[in-house]
Amino acid sequence: MSRFTRARIHLDALRHNLAVARSHVGEAKVAAVIKAGGYGHGAVAVAGALAGADAFAVTSVDEAEVLRQAGFHQRILVLDGLFEADELELAAARGLDLVVHSDWQLDLIERFTTETPLRCWLKVDSGMHRLGYAPERVKMAYARLANSASVEGPVNLMTHFACADDRRSDYTRSQLQVFNAVCEELPGERSAANSAGVLAWPESHYEWVRPGVMLYGASPFADGLPGRPALEPAMTLESRLIAIQHFRRGDRVGYAGTFTCPEDMPVGVVAIGYGDGYPRHAPSGTPVLVDGRRTALVGRVSMDLICIDLRDLPDVRINAPVTLWGQGLPIEEIAEYCGTISYELMCKLTSRVRFDYEGGHGEG
Ligand SMILES: *Cc1c(COP(=O)(O)O)cnc(C)c1O
Protein backbone atom coordinates (compact mmCIF):
# COMPACT_ATOMS: atom_id res chain seq x y z
CA MET A 1 0.00 0.00 0.00
CA SER A 2 1.52 3.34 -0.95
CA ARG A 3 -0.69 6.10 0.40
CA PHE A 4 -2.34 5.08 3.65
CA THR A 5 -5.77 6.62 3.32
CA ARG A 6 -8.45 4.02 3.83
CA ALA A 7 -11.99 3.47 5.04
CA ARG A 8 -12.37 0.38 7.16
CA ILE A 9 -15.94 -0.89 6.87
CA HIS A 10 -17.03 -2.89 9.91
CA LEU A 11 -19.59 -5.37 8.63
CA ASP A 12 -20.23 -6.68 12.15
CA ALA A 13 -21.25 -3.18 13.18
CA LEU A 14 -23.86 -3.09 10.40
CA ARG A 15 -25.33 -6.36 11.66
CA HIS A 16 -25.28 -5.10 15.24
CA ASN A 17 -27.05 -1.87 14.27
CA LEU A 18 -29.72 -3.78 12.35
CA ALA A 19 -30.33 -5.80 15.52
CA VAL A 20 -30.64 -2.53 17.47
CA ALA A 21 -33.23 -1.31 14.96
CA ARG A 22 -35.18 -4.55 15.28
CA SER A 23 -35.08 -4.35 19.06
CA HIS A 24 -36.98 -1.06 18.86
CA VAL A 25 -39.70 -2.00 16.40
CA GLY A 26 -41.17 -5.28 17.64
CA GLU A 27 -42.91 -7.10 14.80
CA ALA A 28 -42.53 -4.33 12.25
CA LYS A 29 -40.55 -5.29 9.17
CA VAL A 30 -37.29 -3.52 8.39
CA ALA A 31 -36.40 -2.09 4.98
CA ALA A 32 -32.69 -1.30 5.36
CA VAL A 33 -31.95 1.91 3.46
CA ILE A 34 -28.81 1.42 1.37
CA LYS A 35 -29.24 4.24 -1.15
CA ALA A 36 -26.27 6.27 -2.41
CA GLY A 37 -23.98 3.26 -2.38
CA GLY A 38 -24.98 2.26 1.13
CA TYR A 39 -24.43 5.82 2.43
CA GLY A 40 -20.96 5.68 0.88
CA HIS A 41 -19.99 2.36 2.48
CA GLY A 42 -20.47 0.24 -0.67
CA ALA A 43 -24.00 -0.94 -1.47
CA VAL A 44 -23.21 -4.55 -2.33
CA ALA A 45 -21.06 -5.18 0.74
CA VAL A 46 -23.62 -3.48 2.96
CA ALA A 47 -26.43 -5.53 1.43
CA GLY A 48 -24.43 -8.67 2.16
CA ALA A 49 -24.02 -7.70 5.79
CA LEU A 50 -27.67 -6.66 6.09
CA ALA A 51 -29.09 -9.61 4.15
CA GLY A 52 -31.21 -10.40 7.21
CA ALA A 53 -33.31 -7.29 6.67
CA ASP A 54 -36.86 -7.86 5.36
CA ALA A 55 -36.16 -5.60 2.38
CA PHE A 56 -33.71 -3.05 1.07
CA ALA A 57 -34.56 0.51 0.12
CA VAL A 58 -32.71 2.47 -2.55
CA THR A 59 -33.34 5.67 -4.50
CA SER A 60 -33.75 4.47 -8.07
CA VAL A 61 -34.28 1.47 -10.30
CA ASP A 62 -30.60 1.83 -11.25
CA GLU A 63 -29.54 1.38 -7.64
CA ALA A 64 -31.88 -1.59 -7.28
CA GLU A 65 -30.43 -3.17 -10.41
CA VAL A 66 -26.94 -3.09 -8.87
CA LEU A 67 -28.27 -5.24 -6.04
CA ARG A 68 -30.15 -7.63 -8.33
CA GLN A 69 -27.03 -8.02 -10.51
CA ALA A 70 -25.09 -8.88 -7.36
CA GLY A 71 -27.57 -11.69 -6.70
CA PHE A 72 -29.79 -10.23 -3.98
CA HIS A 73 -33.36 -11.52 -4.11
CA GLN A 74 -34.83 -9.51 -1.24
CA ARG A 75 -37.67 -7.09 -1.81
CA ILE A 76 -36.30 -3.72 -2.84
CA LEU A 77 -38.24 -0.54 -2.21
CA VAL A 78 -37.41 2.18 -4.76
CA LEU A 79 -37.88 5.38 -2.76
CA ASP A 80 -38.11 7.85 -5.65
CA GLY A 81 -39.84 5.35 -7.94
CA LEU A 82 -39.60 5.87 -11.67
CA PHE A 83 -37.57 8.58 -13.35
CA GLU A 84 -38.41 7.48 -16.90
CA ALA A 85 -41.03 5.40 -18.68
CA ASP A 86 -38.54 2.83 -19.93
CA GLU A 87 -37.69 1.78 -16.37
CA LEU A 88 -41.10 0.14 -15.91
CA GLU A 89 -40.21 -2.98 -17.83
CA LEU A 90 -37.10 -3.56 -15.71
CA ALA A 91 -38.86 -2.71 -12.46
CA ALA A 92 -41.49 -5.35 -13.18
CA ALA A 93 -38.99 -7.94 -14.39
CA ARG A 94 -36.88 -7.45 -11.28
CA GLY A 95 -39.85 -7.53 -8.89
CA LEU A 96 -39.19 -4.10 -7.41
CA ASP A 97 -41.49 -2.19 -5.05
CA LEU A 98 -42.07 1.24 -6.60
CA VAL A 99 -42.92 4.39 -4.69
CA VAL A 100 -45.41 6.54 -6.64
CA HIS A 101 -45.21 10.23 -5.81
CA SER A 102 -46.67 12.04 -8.84
CA ASP A 103 -49.43 11.92 -11.42
CA TRP A 104 -46.98 11.49 -14.28
CA GLN A 105 -45.79 8.25 -12.69
CA LEU A 106 -49.40 7.15 -12.18
CA ASP A 107 -50.15 7.83 -15.85
CA LEU A 108 -47.25 5.62 -16.94
CA ILE A 109 -48.22 2.82 -14.59
CA GLU A 110 -51.85 2.90 -15.77
CA ARG A 111 -50.76 2.54 -19.39
CA PHE A 112 -48.24 -0.21 -18.66
CA THR A 113 -49.05 -3.83 -19.41
CA THR A 114 -47.11 -6.64 -17.75
CA GLU A 115 -47.41 -10.25 -16.76
CA THR A 116 -45.53 -9.58 -13.53
CA PRO A 117 -47.54 -6.89 -11.73
CA LEU A 118 -45.79 -4.21 -9.73
CA ARG A 119 -45.98 -3.68 -6.00
CA CYS A 120 -46.56 0.01 -5.36
CA TRP A 121 -46.31 2.39 -2.41
CA LEU A 122 -48.29 5.60 -2.66
CA LYS A 123 -46.29 8.45 -1.20
CA VAL A 124 -48.30 10.72 1.06
CA ASP A 125 -47.10 14.27 1.76
CA SER A 126 -48.00 14.49 5.43
CA GLY A 127 -46.00 17.67 5.98
CA MET A 128 -42.49 17.22 4.60
CA HIS A 129 -43.63 19.23 1.55
CA ARG A 130 -41.22 17.73 -0.90
CA LEU A 131 -42.48 14.68 -2.81
CA GLY A 132 -45.85 13.00 -2.54
CA TYR A 133 -49.61 13.44 -2.69
CA ALA A 134 -51.35 16.07 -0.62
CA PRO A 135 -53.79 14.40 1.81
CA GLU A 136 -56.89 15.48 -0.13
CA ARG A 137 -55.59 13.81 -3.32
CA VAL A 138 -54.62 10.48 -1.76
CA LYS A 139 -57.97 8.70 -2.20
CA MET A 140 -58.07 9.52 -5.89
CA ALA A 141 -54.47 8.43 -6.52
CA TYR A 142 -54.91 5.30 -4.42
CA ALA A 143 -58.00 4.28 -6.38
CA ARG A 144 -56.27 4.84 -9.72
CA LEU A 145 -53.30 2.71 -8.66
CA ALA A 146 -55.46 -0.01 -7.13
CA ASN A 147 -57.46 -0.22 -10.37
CA SER A 148 -54.41 -0.45 -12.61
CA ALA A 149 -54.01 -3.83 -14.27
CA SER A 150 -50.23 -3.60 -13.89
CA VAL A 151 -50.40 -3.21 -10.10
CA GLU A 152 -50.59 -6.01 -7.56
CA GLY A 153 -52.92 -5.18 -4.69
CA PRO A 154 -53.19 -4.01 -2.09
CA VAL A 155 -51.39 -0.74 -2.71
CA ASN A 156 -49.23 0.31 0.27
CA LEU A 157 -48.85 3.76 1.82
CA MET A 158 -45.75 5.61 2.93
CA THR A 159 -44.70 9.01 4.12
CA HIS A 160 -41.50 10.72 5.27
CA PHE A 161 -40.73 12.90 8.30
CA ALA A 162 -39.28 16.39 8.15
CA CYS A 163 -38.34 16.89 11.82
CA ALA A 164 -38.17 13.48 13.49
CA ASP A 165 -34.51 14.15 14.38
CA ASP A 166 -35.76 16.75 16.88
CA ARG A 167 -37.37 14.87 19.74
CA ARG A 168 -38.82 18.07 21.19
CA SER A 169 -40.64 19.08 18.04
CA ASP A 170 -44.39 18.46 17.76
CA TYR A 171 -44.18 18.32 14.00
CA THR A 172 -43.75 14.54 13.81
CA ARG A 173 -46.93 14.05 15.83
CA SER A 174 -48.85 16.29 13.46
CA GLN A 175 -47.47 14.41 10.44
CA LEU A 176 -48.59 11.14 12.07
CA GLN A 177 -52.09 12.54 12.53
CA VAL A 178 -52.28 13.48 8.88
CA PHE A 179 -50.94 10.09 7.79
CA ASN A 180 -53.30 8.18 10.10
CA ALA A 181 -56.27 10.12 8.78
CA VAL A 182 -55.51 9.37 5.13
CA CYS A 183 -54.68 5.71 5.78
CA GLU A 184 -58.00 5.08 7.49
CA GLU A 185 -60.20 2.85 5.36
CA LEU A 186 -57.39 2.18 2.86
CA PRO A 187 -55.98 -1.33 2.88
CA GLY A 188 -52.29 -2.00 2.38
CA GLU A 189 -49.23 -1.80 4.59
CA ARG A 190 -47.90 1.49 5.95
CA SER A 191 -44.41 2.89 6.44
CA ALA A 192 -43.24 6.17 7.95
CA ALA A 193 -40.22 5.74 10.22
CA ASN A 194 -36.67 6.70 9.28
CA SER A 195 -33.90 6.10 11.86
CA ALA A 196 -35.19 8.81 14.15
CA GLY A 197 -38.69 7.33 13.91
CA VAL A 198 -37.35 3.88 14.76
CA LEU A 199 -35.51 5.16 17.83
CA ALA A 200 -37.77 7.90 19.17
CA TRP A 201 -41.29 7.67 17.72
CA PRO A 202 -42.80 4.22 18.42
CA GLU A 203 -46.20 5.35 17.12
CA SER A 204 -44.56 5.69 13.68
CA HIS A 205 -43.51 2.07 13.27
CA TYR A 206 -46.62 0.63 11.56
CA GLU A 207 -45.91 -2.46 9.40
CA TRP A 208 -42.58 -1.33 7.91
CA VAL A 209 -39.74 0.91 9.10
CA ARG A 210 -36.98 2.40 6.92
CA PRO A 211 -33.83 3.00 8.98
CA GLY A 212 -30.79 4.37 7.17
CA VAL A 213 -28.13 6.31 9.01
CA MET A 214 -28.50 4.40 12.27
CA LEU A 215 -27.46 1.20 10.46
CA TYR A 216 -24.16 2.90 9.69
CA GLY A 217 -23.70 3.68 13.36
CA ALA A 218 -24.51 7.38 13.47
CA SER A 219 -27.16 8.93 15.63
CA PRO A 220 -29.91 10.56 13.58
CA PHE A 221 -30.66 13.13 16.26
CA ALA A 222 -29.78 16.78 15.94
CA ASP A 223 -31.59 18.07 19.02
CA GLY A 224 -28.70 18.25 21.47
CA LEU A 225 -30.50 16.02 23.99
CA PRO A 226 -28.10 13.85 25.99
CA GLY A 227 -27.61 10.13 25.44
CA ARG A 228 -26.53 8.33 22.35
CA PRO A 229 -28.18 5.20 20.93
CA ALA A 230 -26.05 2.06 21.40
CA LEU A 231 -24.84 1.99 17.80
CA GLU A 232 -21.44 0.98 16.47
CA PRO A 233 -19.73 2.94 13.70
CA ALA A 234 -19.66 1.02 10.43
CA MET A 235 -16.89 3.16 8.94
CA THR A 236 -13.52 4.20 10.34
CA LEU A 237 -11.65 6.66 8.15
CA GLU A 238 -7.91 6.37 8.71
CA SER A 239 -4.59 7.57 7.47
CA ARG A 240 -1.11 8.05 8.87
CA LEU A 241 1.29 10.73 9.97
CA ILE A 242 3.80 11.34 7.18
CA ALA A 243 5.81 14.24 8.66
CA ILE A 244 6.48 15.94 11.98
CA GLN A 245 7.49 19.60 11.80
CA HIS A 246 8.78 21.91 14.51
CA PHE A 247 7.49 25.42 14.00
CA ARG A 248 8.27 28.62 15.87
CA ARG A 249 5.87 30.88 17.68
CA GLY A 250 4.19 33.10 15.07
CA ASP A 251 4.66 30.67 12.14
CA ARG A 252 1.52 30.35 10.06
CA VAL A 253 0.42 26.87 8.97
CA GLY A 254 -0.95 25.89 5.56
CA TYR A 255 -2.89 27.71 2.83
CA ALA A 256 -3.82 31.29 3.69
CA GLY A 257 -1.97 30.91 6.99
CA THR A 258 -5.19 30.63 8.94
CA PHE A 259 -3.51 29.06 11.98
CA THR A 260 -0.69 30.88 13.76
CA CYS A 261 1.45 28.89 16.18
CA PRO A 262 0.89 30.43 19.64
CA GLU A 263 4.24 29.01 20.80
CA ASP A 264 7.05 26.86 19.45
CA MET A 265 5.27 23.60 18.69
CA PRO A 266 5.35 20.30 16.82
CA VAL A 267 2.84 19.94 13.98
CA GLY A 268 2.02 16.63 12.34
CA VAL A 269 1.13 16.25 8.66
CA VAL A 270 -1.42 13.56 7.78
CA ALA A 271 -2.07 12.00 4.38
CA ILE A 272 -5.70 12.91 3.91
CA GLY A 273 -7.51 15.88 2.42
CA TYR A 274 -10.59 17.02 0.59
CA GLY A 275 -9.43 14.98 -2.42
CA ASP A 276 -10.32 11.97 -0.29
CA GLY A 277 -13.59 13.42 0.92
CA TYR A 278 -12.41 14.84 4.21
CA PRO A 279 -14.40 18.10 4.45
CA ARG A 280 -12.42 21.17 3.37
CA HIS A 281 -14.42 23.38 5.70
CA ALA A 282 -13.31 21.43 8.82
CA PRO A 283 -12.00 24.25 11.04
CA SER A 284 -8.92 24.36 13.27
CA GLY A 285 -9.92 22.50 16.41
CA THR A 286 -11.74 19.65 14.66
CA PRO A 287 -10.78 16.52 16.62
CA VAL A 288 -8.62 13.71 15.23
CA LEU A 289 -7.08 10.66 16.93
CA VAL A 290 -3.38 9.92 16.67
CA ASP A 291 -2.35 6.55 18.07
CA GLY A 292 -5.83 6.50 19.58
CA ARG A 293 -5.27 9.81 21.43
CA ARG A 294 -7.22 12.96 20.76
CA THR A 295 -5.78 16.08 19.25
CA ALA A 296 -6.96 18.68 16.75
CA LEU A 297 -6.67 19.90 13.20
CA VAL A 298 -4.72 23.15 12.65
CA GLY A 299 -4.98 25.31 9.52
CA ARG A 300 -6.75 24.68 6.26
CA VAL A 301 -7.56 21.25 4.90
CA SER A 302 -5.81 20.87 1.55
CA MET A 303 -6.46 18.37 -1.23
CA ASP A 304 -4.05 15.71 -0.02
CA LEU A 305 -2.96 16.76 3.46
CA ILE A 306 -4.05 18.09 6.82
CA CYS A 307 -1.95 19.41 9.71
CA ILE A 308 -2.53 18.54 13.34
CA ASP A 309 -1.42 19.85 16.72
CA LEU A 310 1.17 17.55 18.38
CA ARG A 311 1.85 19.66 21.48
CA ASP A 312 0.24 17.11 23.82
CA LEU A 313 1.66 14.11 21.94
CA PRO A 314 5.43 14.66 21.90
CA ASP A 315 6.17 10.95 21.60
CA VAL A 316 4.28 10.14 18.39
CA ARG A 317 6.32 8.87 15.46
CA ILE A 318 6.13 9.06 11.71
CA ASN A 319 3.58 6.49 10.43
CA ALA A 320 1.45 6.76 13.56
CA PRO A 321 -2.14 5.77 12.68
CA VAL A 322 -4.60 8.65 12.50
CA THR A 323 -8.37 8.28 12.76
CA LEU A 324 -10.51 11.00 11.19
CA TRP A 325 -13.81 9.48 12.29
CA GLY A 326 -15.28 6.12 13.27
CA GLN A 327 -14.14 3.88 16.13
CA GLY A 328 -13.24 6.13 19.04
CA LEU A 329 -14.34 9.33 17.31
CA PRO A 330 -18.05 9.63 16.43
CA ILE A 331 -18.67 10.97 12.94
CA GLU A 332 -21.47 13.16 14.32
CA GLU A 333 -18.87 15.11 16.25
CA ILE A 334 -16.87 15.84 13.11
CA ALA A 335 -20.05 16.74 11.25
CA GLU A 336 -20.96 19.25 13.93
CA TYR A 337 -17.56 20.96 13.70
CA CYS A 338 -18.06 21.17 9.95
CA GLY A 339 -21.60 22.52 10.08
CA THR A 340 -23.02 19.47 8.34
CA ILE A 341 -24.49 16.05 9.16
CA SER A 342 -22.84 12.64 9.32
CA TYR A 343 -24.85 11.53 6.25
CA GLU A 344 -22.99 13.97 4.02
CA LEU A 345 -19.54 13.02 5.33
CA MET A 346 -20.24 9.30 4.76
CA CYS A 347 -21.45 9.83 1.22
CA LYS A 348 -18.58 12.01 0.10
CA LEU A 349 -15.50 9.79 0.28
CA THR A 350 -13.86 9.71 -3.13
CA SER A 351 -12.60 6.83 -5.24
CA ARG A 352 -9.06 7.56 -4.07
CA VAL A 353 -9.87 6.09 -0.66
CA ARG A 354 -9.22 2.38 -0.33
CA PHE A 355 -12.11 0.45 1.21
CA ASP A 356 -11.25 -2.52 3.43
CA TYR A 357 -14.16 -4.71 4.47
CA GLU A 358 -13.79 -6.38 7.84
CA GLY A 359 -15.90 -8.86 9.75
CA GLY A 360 -17.55 -10.36 6.67
CA HIS A 361 -18.72 -13.91 7.15
CA GLY A 362 -21.90 -13.96 5.14
CA GLU A 363 -25.15 -13.19 6.83
CA GLY A 364 -25.05 -13.32 10.61
C1 LIG B 1 -33.05 8.25 3.25
C2 LIG B 1 -34.44 7.89 3.60
C3 LIG B 1 -34.73 7.15 4.75
C4 LIG B 1 -33.68 6.83 5.80
O1 LIG B 1 -33.43 7.99 6.57
P1 LIG B 1 -32.39 7.98 7.80
O2 LIG B 1 -32.55 9.31 8.42
O3 LIG B 1 -31.03 7.79 7.17
O4 LIG B 1 -32.77 6.86 8.67
C5 LIG B 1 -36.03 6.73 4.95
N1 LIG B 1 -37.00 7.05 4.06
C6 LIG B 1 -36.77 7.78 2.95
C7 LIG B 1 -37.89 8.11 2.04
C8 LIG B 1 -35.48 8.24 2.69
O5 LIG B 1 -35.26 8.98 1.60
Side-chain angles (χ1 to χ4, degrees):
M1 177 157 82
S2 51
R3 202 159 167 270
F4 305 109
T5 316
R6 64 173 186 157
R8 293 167 53 210
I9 305 300
H10 314 295
L11 299 171
D12 289 332
L14 289 163
R15 283 186 281 267
H16 168 84
N17 297 332
L18 175 60
V20 171
R22 282 211 189 278
S23 75
H24 279 81
V25 302
E27 297 293 292
K29 285 171 278 189
V30 178
V33 181
I34 58 176
K35 62 192 180 190
Y39 287 46
H41 294 61
V44 169
V46 169
L50 299 180
D54 301 293
F56 298 127
V58 297
T59 298
S60 61
V61 172
D62 290 345
E63 287 188 351
E65 181 63 1
V66 170
L67 299 177
R68 286 285 184 258
Q69 291 291 340
F72 291 99
H73 301 295
Q74 284 83 349
R75 277 176 76 172
I76 304 179
L77 177 58
V78 181
L79 295 169
D80 287 355
L82 298 171
F83 291 84
E84 289 194 301
D86 61 11
E87 292 176 314
L88 266 170
E89 207 73 62
L90 187 62
R94 296 292 190 258
L96 305 180
D97 282 44
L98 287 183
V99 169
V100 178
H101 59 70
S102 290
D103 285 343
W104 68 263
Q105 293 179 323
L106 246 177
D107 295 340
L108 290 174
I109 289 169
E110 278 181 331
R111 287 200 298 270
F112 181 55
T113 54
T114 175
E115 279 166 16
T116 50
L118 295 158
R119 264 189 301 252
C120 290
W121 294 74
L122 189 69
K123 180 145 186 173
V124 178
D125 179 8
S126 59
M128 172 80 169
H129 297 145
R130 193 178 57 180
L131 283 180
Y133 282 88
E136 63 275 15
R137 300 193 66 234
V138 168
K139 273 221 163 68
M140 168 284 300
Y142 191 98
R144 280 181 61 189
L145 262 185
N147 292 324
S148 299
S150 61
V151 173
E152 176 187 306
V155 172
N156 305 299
L157 292 142
M158 56 96 70
T159 194
H160 195 45
F161 295 132
C163 305
D165 59 342
D166 180 356
R167 286 162 285 189
R168 288 171 299 196
S169 163
D170 286 334
Y171 204 71
T172 301
R173 223 161 265 122
S174 85
Q175 285 197 257
L176 285 167
Q177 275 171 13
V178 171
F179 190 54
N180 285 332
V182 300
C183 289
E184 232 169 81
E185 296 167 36
L186 294 176
E189 296 187 309
R190 296 159 296 172
S191 176
N194 52 7
S195 296
V198 165
L199 294 168
W201 304 93
E203 61 275 48
S204 74
H205 293 168
Y206 302 107
E207 287 77 32
W208 283 90
V209 296
R210 308 186 309 270
V213 80
M214 69 173 291
L215 300 176
Y216 305 94
S219 165
F221 299 115
D223 52 20
L225 292 178
R228 203 179 166 275
L231 302 168
E232 293 173 8
M235 173 194 288
T236 300
L237 181 63
E238 289 185 349
S239 190
R240 292 197 205 169
L241 204 61
I242 62 164
I244 297 173
Q245 313 284 26
H246 296 274
F247 295 132
R248 311 302 300 265
R249 187 163 83 94
D251 285 350
R252 303 190 330 163
V253 175
Y255 284 119
T258 61
F259 178 81
T260 303
C261 296
E263 58 189 316
D264 294 1
M265 64 183 278
V267 168
V269 184
V270 182
I272 194 156
Y274 64 81
D276 304 295
Y278 188 81
R280 200 188 81 91
H281 45 287
S284 287
T286 303
V288 298
L289 301 182
V290 185
D291 269 338
R293 291 175 292 170
R294 245 173 124 93
T295 182
L297 188 78
V298 294
R300 284 267 167 88
V301 172
S302 45
M303 191 181 292
D304 309 321
L305 300 168
I306 61 170
C307 293
I308 60 175
D309 186 345
L310 293 182
R311 277 176 292 182
D312 293 335
L313 305 169
D315 55 331
V316 297
R317 303 272 183 92
I318 297 294
N319 265 342
V322 176
T323 298
L324 290 313
W325 62 66
Q327 289 178 344
L329 185 57
I331 190 170
E332 301 96 295
E333 202 178 320
I334 308 306
E336 194 166 324
Y337 271 91
C338 299
T340 184
I341 52 176
S342 56
Y343 303 64
E344 186 186 18
L345 297 183
M346 291 174 183
C347 284
K348 277 201 164 166
L349 295 189
T350 68
S351 59
R352 186 162 74 172
V353 177
R354 198 181 85 178
F355 278 66
D356 289 340
Y357 292 91
E358 302 174 356
H361 44 76
E363 204 267 299

